[in-house]
């Protein structure tokens, strides 16, 4: 029989019904098992989902352990079967980071003989969509077997660690176990886990209400419980009384107190911040977590000078933490929260904004350029772009390096291509909005602008539509604008502000060499609707100047005119200063009728363009058909026909009622004649109208009346809007 050498490391695991994560966990152990003599021992506590079959393919020893509602009992059962010099405990919903160099170096070093326990980082992820959101916990998971240690505690189980044994604790800060087992849990599953933990803790606290560790664990798990604040205040008071382990547990207790005070707007916030900073100044719970909350409090108060001071302290503490310097040992008593990429990026963004507010643009740009752009979410991207644009428009600082790196790095496939696509889509949407900001609009402060927002994007040049749009804004030469427009490949990313500028400079659009799809045409035109007056003026110029022979021109004119009609404020003027709108509205309606007269017979089959078949047309084209006939009637002197066609158009497209009301109330030909209407004609019109209302519209009697000379005399009064007949 072959003699088996003692393994350097035993990897122990308990599991139940975790087929979703288990194979990933076991595969991630392969580099470690190849680098060192290892054994893998696994205990199944009652799986029925296929987890056992997965474990069987990887484990050196697999056995059953009936679940007795005690995590320590299960873990210690695995330890009992271990034969390694060292023992590493890992959970099935965790996976070892690919960088195991620190762990390998330690297990091969002579220093390992001076250590009983090692802590390593458990990184708890909060969101699958945002990998930068996590908290770090220094868990004691690695122990020397000869120390004879065993886990204690039915839940929140841990290896016993006495303060007097401090020299025997070693921290492996670069060795990570990624944990995402709580992501994706249903509300019911999450509640079940919380209730399980809280039940154990309540039982423990009923036996010893002033057990500070149990109180801390309750505070961590029971944030939504009715007695949360009661337990938190009790824990804080015990720390202040210097209860057993107060110096070890106090930093974590007070950072929870500070969290709660900030979230619940409690009056104790400043007092608890001060207490944490005075009593536990060296703890990372104070230097990072409490300092972050303190920074946000100053930000909410718009105390930007204080933000700068606190932000610097936070970043200095973060640097110490990442280098493994400072008091690492205290982190075995809770999760460090505000060290994660999401929060560090958020603070850097706000700190950059604070520098901008305090007239230190270079410091703001330095902070912005330090960000990891692959981790920014939509809100952070928006903050970044607004801060950068604010710095750019209110100073002469060079913002181009940060902008260029953002557009380069944001598209990298990190963590995957789908996240990169989402990031770039968000970035373009935010940038298009910023591009459209009026040159004089204030972004964050009341400082005077020295550069227009669009100039921020000039460094992008011809590599993207934003850069091309910025270059177009810098010239009025139609030939140069034409050349730049011909380089556009994605009109969805082209700024509408640049399109306005190009059209107002007299560019003939669409470009003959760059035909547009109907979708691109509609998207471009929809971007122009944000400025209705400017759009209407543009529509008049386009209708007057463009050639009708091209389908591209015709579709463009049709799109611009429909957008102008939709965007125009068809409201009744209330004073003389608005009288100009009456003329503009009438002109716009005429232009619309003219465009529809040209477009409809070229786009639709002749048999559709009659009253009986108009329902086959889209609503605005139905109205356009009637509107065209209405103005033909008006120009022929037939006011009655004008009114009838407009009302028929409104019936076929009810959403045009405001347009029809506007035209009926403000067409001069309908208003002036009625001023001279005699009482006799009004009386005759009233009588005829009452008779007509008694019969259907197609009744022979009605048709006969409408053909009579008497009806012709009063038809305009009957169909008008200013008569007193109704």
């Amino acid at each position: 029989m072959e003699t088996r050498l003692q393994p350097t490391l035993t990897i122990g695991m308990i599991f139940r019904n975790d087929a979703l994560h288990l194979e990933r966990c076991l595969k991630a152990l392969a580099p470690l098992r190849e680098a060192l003599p290892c054994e893998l021992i696994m205990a199944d506590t009652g799986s029925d989902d296929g987890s056992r079959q997965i474990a069987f393919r990887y484990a050196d020893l697999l056995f059953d352990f009936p679940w007795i509602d005690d995590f320590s009992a299960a873990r210690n059962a695995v330890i009992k079967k271990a034969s390694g010099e060292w023992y590493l405990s890992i959970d099935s919903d965790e996976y070892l980071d690919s960088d195991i160099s620190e762990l390998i170096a330690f297990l091969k070093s002579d220093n390992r003989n001076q250590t009983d326990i090692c802590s390593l980082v458990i990184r708890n992820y909060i969101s699958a969509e945002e990998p930068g959101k996590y908290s770090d916990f220094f868990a004691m998971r690695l122990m020397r077997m000869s120390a004879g240690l065993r886990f204690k505690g039915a839940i929140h189980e841990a290896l016993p660690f006495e303060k007097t044994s401090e020299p025997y604790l070693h921290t492996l800060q670069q060795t990570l176990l990624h944990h995402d087992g709580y992501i994706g849990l249903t509300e019911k599953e999450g509640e079940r886990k919380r209730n399980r933990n809280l039940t154990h803790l309540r039982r423990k606290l009923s036996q010893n209400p002033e057990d500070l560790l149990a109180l801390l664990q309750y505070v961590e798990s029971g944030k939504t419980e009715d007695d949360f604040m009661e337990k938190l205040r009790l824990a804080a008071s015990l720390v202040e009384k210097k209860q057993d382990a107060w110096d070890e547990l106090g930093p974590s207790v007070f950072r929870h107190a500070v969290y709660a005070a900030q979230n619940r707007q409690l009056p104790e916030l400043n007092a608890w911040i001060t207490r944490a900073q005075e009593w536990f100044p060296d703890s990372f719970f104070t230097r990072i977590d409490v300092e972050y909350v303190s920074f946000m409090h100053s930000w909410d108060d718009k105390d930007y000078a204080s933000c700068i001071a606190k932000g610097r302290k936070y970043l200095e503490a973060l640097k110490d933490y990442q280098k493994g310097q400072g008091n690492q040992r205290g982190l075995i008593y809770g999760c460090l929260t505000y060290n994660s990429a999401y929060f560090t990026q958020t603070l850097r963004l706000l700190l950059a904004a604070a520098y901008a507010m305090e007239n230190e643009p270079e410091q703001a740009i330095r902070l912005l350029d330090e960000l990891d752009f692959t981790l920014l979410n939509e809100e952070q991207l928006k903050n970044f772009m607004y801060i950068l644009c604010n710095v750019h428009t209110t100073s002469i600082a060079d913002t181009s390096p940060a902008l260029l790196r953002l557009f380069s790095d944001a598209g990298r496939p990190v963590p995957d291509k789908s996240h990169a696509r989402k990031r770039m889509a968000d970035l373009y949407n935010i940038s298009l909005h910023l591009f459209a900001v009026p040159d004089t609009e204030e972004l964050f402060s009341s400082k005077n602008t020295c550069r227009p927002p669009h100039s921020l994007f000039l460094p992008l040049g011809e590599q993207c539509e934003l850069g091309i749009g910025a270059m177009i804004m810098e010239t009025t030469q139609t030939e140069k604008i034409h050349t730049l427009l011909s380089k556009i490949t994605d009109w969805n990313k082209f700024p509408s502000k640049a399109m306005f500028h190009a059209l107002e400079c007299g560019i003939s659009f669409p470009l003959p060499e760059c035909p547009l799809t109907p979708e691109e045409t509609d998207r471009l035109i929809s971007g122009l609707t944000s400025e209705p007056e400017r759009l209407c003026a543009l529509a008049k110029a386009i209708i007057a100047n463009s050639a009708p022979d091209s389908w591209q021109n015709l579709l463009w004119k049709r799109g611009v005119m429909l957008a102008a009609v939709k965007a125009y404020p068809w409201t009744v003027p209330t004073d003389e200063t608005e009288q100009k709108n009456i003329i503009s509205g009438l002109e716009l309606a005429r232009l619309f009728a003219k465009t529809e007269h040209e477009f409809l017979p070229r786009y639709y089959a002749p048999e559709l363009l009659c009253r009986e078949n108009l329902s086959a047309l889209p609503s605005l084209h139905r109205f356009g058909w009637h509107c065209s006939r209405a103005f033909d009637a008006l120009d022929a002197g037939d006011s009655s026909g004008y009114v009838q066609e407009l009302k028929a158009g409104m019936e076929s497209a009810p959403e045009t009622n405001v347009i029809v009301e506007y035209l009926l109330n403000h067409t001069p030909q309908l208003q002036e004649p009625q001023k001279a209407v005699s009482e006799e004609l009004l009386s005759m019109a009233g009588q005829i109208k009452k008779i007509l209302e008694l019969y259907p519209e197609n009744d022979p009697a009605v048709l006969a009346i409408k053909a009579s000379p008497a009806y012709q005399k009063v038809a305009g009064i009957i169909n008008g809007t200013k008569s007193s007949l109704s």
Side-chain angles (χ1 to χ4, degrees), residues 267-279:
E268 295 97 333
L269 176 61
N270 288 325
W272 280 340
I273 289 175
T274 301
R275 180 58 54 85
Q277 291 171 337
E278 289 179 351
W279 283 20

Side-chain angles (χ1 to χ4, degrees), residues 637-658:
D638 183 6
S639 297
S640 173
Y642 174 72
V643 172
Q644 288 176 351
E645 288 293 349
L646 287 178
K647 288 188 173 181
M650 182 177 67
E651 290 175 3
S652 68
E655 69 272 21
T656 63
N657 66 316
V658 291

